[in-house]
Amino acid sequence: MAVTRPSVNPQARAATGTLAVEDVVKRFGEVTALGGVSLEIKAGEFFTLLGPSGCGKTTLLRIIAGFELPSAGRVRLGGADITGVPANQRPVNTVFQSYALFPHLSVFENVAFGLRSRRVPQAEVHKRVEMVMGMLQIERFMARYPHQLSGGQKQRVAMARALVNEPQVLLLDEPMSALDAKLRAEVQVGLRRLQRSLGTTFILVTHDQDEAMTVSDRIAVMREGQVIQVGTPEEVYARPRTCFVAEFLGAANLIPARRGGGGAETPLGPLELPAPPRWEQGNLAIRPERVELVPEPRGHNCLRARVREVVYRGSHQEAWLEPGGLRVRAAAHPALRPGQEVAVHLPKEALVVLDD
């Protein structure tokens, strides 16, 4: 997605207040989709709700949008309670997974639809539509119809239709899921650049960990209707709190452990840790790229292992070692081979003591 920075920021007044979700519960009959979720999203922040299908992230987005009412709890924007405010009266717009473009309207009229429904004067409609289309570089498509557009072009039109209404908050419901991998990567970078140029609060729903890591200021990892961890991409990746977060945010080695000897006793042997664990028995995590291959197993947190399996990834190789099933990410050369004996080091600063 190419983005042209406007000379005057049309959404300068968009980032006017914090969005607060306070103890929100949502029940559908006997099913609890959200079990008391609380979040605070800063004005002008790119915030992502990340989790597997069925974790409640889309339900939470729909409550923020006003398409669903919570069974309990509140939603506030800039301090004002908007829980009961109808969707069409909130300073919030949504870009849907399907884009939801009107097939019988041209691109221009799709983008202008919200303004016309609010009876904005014709001259203002043309001015704002042309400005946002220029910003997203889709002016040349304005006379086309949705069936004449590619997936990436439809995504930009859907973005333009939402942004032309100058929302305080823009909600994105997996808008890149229909794009191929190459285009998705390009759109992610463009989306991040667009958000920074506008200063509008963006809230993205996705199950794609790479996407969340690429675009977000902060990420809320969700599971079974609960927020498990909130933090910057670096925090949730490098310092996960639970086994679920460690495994959901990329590959992770989980090592069962028992407290002892100033560190932990594990099936791999005794390991030094950055700080003693609070539990008697639990789990440690270390990312595959932090496991080091060394010439000899000297010093603390070193062991001998045997290569069980190797997968060549082009820029690197991944190997699974025994004992312990350790996963290692290493340079592609020299090539590892199954059955090879290696020495590895688990740096204590790379070992994370999980809460479970």
Side-chain angles (χ1 to χ4, degrees):
M1 180 195 297
V3 178
T4 301
R5 185 184 295 273
S7 56
V8 177
N9 185 346
Q11 276 76 31
R13 65 179 182 274
T16 57
T18 295
L19 177 75
V21 176
E22 301 173 353
D23 298 317
V24 165
V25 175
K26 181 62 179 179
R27 301 184 187 92
F28 296 98
E30 298 298 315
V31 177
T32 300
L34 295 172
V37 171
S38 294
L39 288 170
E40 189 171 282
I41 301 169
K42 302 170 187 173
E45 187 172 30
F46 201 130
F47 194 92
T48 296
L49 303 173
L50 174 67
S53 297
C55 71
K57 56 188 186 295
T58 295
T59 299
L60 180 56
L61 197 81
R62 289 178 61 81
I63 288 172
I64 294 170
F67 301 136
E68 299 278 358
L69 286 173
S71 304
R74 291 285 180 268
V75 179
R76 299 183 187 275
L77 182 57
D81 189 342
I82 62 169
T83 311
V85 177
N88 63 352
Q89 295 178 26
R90 298 187 184 196
V92 176
N93 275 104
T94 306
V95 177
F96 298 98
Q97 184 175 351
S98 63
Y99 308 137
L101 301 178
F102 299 113
H104 62 290
L105 296 181
S106 67
V107 166
F108 183 95
E109 290 302 326
N110 262 283
V111 176
F113 182 83
L115 299 178
R116 294 200 192 284
S117 66
R118 287 158 45 199
R119 302 188 185 279
V120 173
Q122 180 72 1
E124 181 69 10
V125 168
H126 276 268
K127 177 183 175 182
R128 286 167 61 174
V129 170
E130 289 173 1
M131 179 193 63
V132 76
M133 290 179 72
M135 184 167 45
L136 291 167
Q137 297 189 0
I138 54 174
E139 316 99 302
R140 63 187 184 282
F141 308 136
M142 69 170 59
R144 295 186 191 178
Y145 287 80
H147 72 274
Q148 298 172 312
L149 303 176
S150 69
Q153 291 164 352
K154 289 178 183 177
Q155 201 257 6
R156 278 188 274 169
V157 174
M159 290 286 297
R161 186 176 63 180
L163 288 169
V164 78
N165 295 302
E166 300 184 358
Q168 289 185 38
V169 180
L170 184 67
L171 307 178
L172 302 152
D173 186 8
E174 304 215 36
M176 292 168 271
S177 61
L179 307 181
D180 62 60
K182 183 175 183 297
L183 181 57
R184 190 184 306 124
E186 294 174 358
V187 170
Q188 288 167 4
V189 174
L191 188 63
R192 181 62 174 142
R193 190 179 301 126
L194 174 67
Q195 189 271 337
R196 284 176 173 168
S197 72
L198 295 175
T200 304
T201 305
F202 278 27
I203 303 176
L204 170 70
V205 157
T206 186
H207 63 273
D208 187 318
Q209 302 92 326
D210 290 337
E211 185 170 290
M213 299 282 283
T214 299
V215 303
S216 309
D217 291 315
R218 286 192 302 148
I219 297 169
V221 183
M222 296 186 65
R223 183 188 189 191
E224 297 178 351
Q226 300 285 345
V227 172
I228 305 302
Q229 184 172 349
V230 179
T232 66
E234 295 82 3
E235 288 168 348
V236 293
Y237 181 80
R239 296 293 166 193
R241 292 179 185 166
T242 68
C243 293
F244 174 80
V245 175
E247 292 190 298
F248 197 76
L249 267 293
N253 293 300
L254 299 182
I255 305 170
R258 184 182 297 274
R259 187 170 65 180
E265 299 292 337
T266 78
L268 304 176
L271 295 176
E272 286 193 347
L273 302 175
R278 292 187 296 273
W279 38 250
E280 287 298 323
Q281 188 170 340
N283 290 283
L284 310 175
I286 185 170
R287 297 293 181 189
E289 64 272 18
R290 299 301 305 275
V291 179
E292 300 172 349
L293 296 175
V294 294
E296 292 293 333
R298 293 176 179 168
H300 297 288
N301 293 13
C302 286
L303 65 144
R304 285 197 178 276
R306 185 180 297 275
V307 177
R308 186 186 73 203
E309 185 179 358
V310 180
V311 175
Y312 177 69
R313 301 288 191 187
S315 61
H316 65 279
Q317 60 187 326
E318 292 184 1
W320 284 259
L321 310 179
E322 295 293 353
L326 274 179
R327 185 173 179 176
V328 177
R329 184 173 299 164
H333 299 284
L336 298 172
R337 61 186 185 278
Q340 178 181 353
E341 286 195 359
V342 294
V344 295
H345 175 226
L346 282 60
K348 73 174 185 178
E349 65 274 9
L351 286 162
V352 181
V353 179
L354 302 176
D355 291 342
D356 55 359

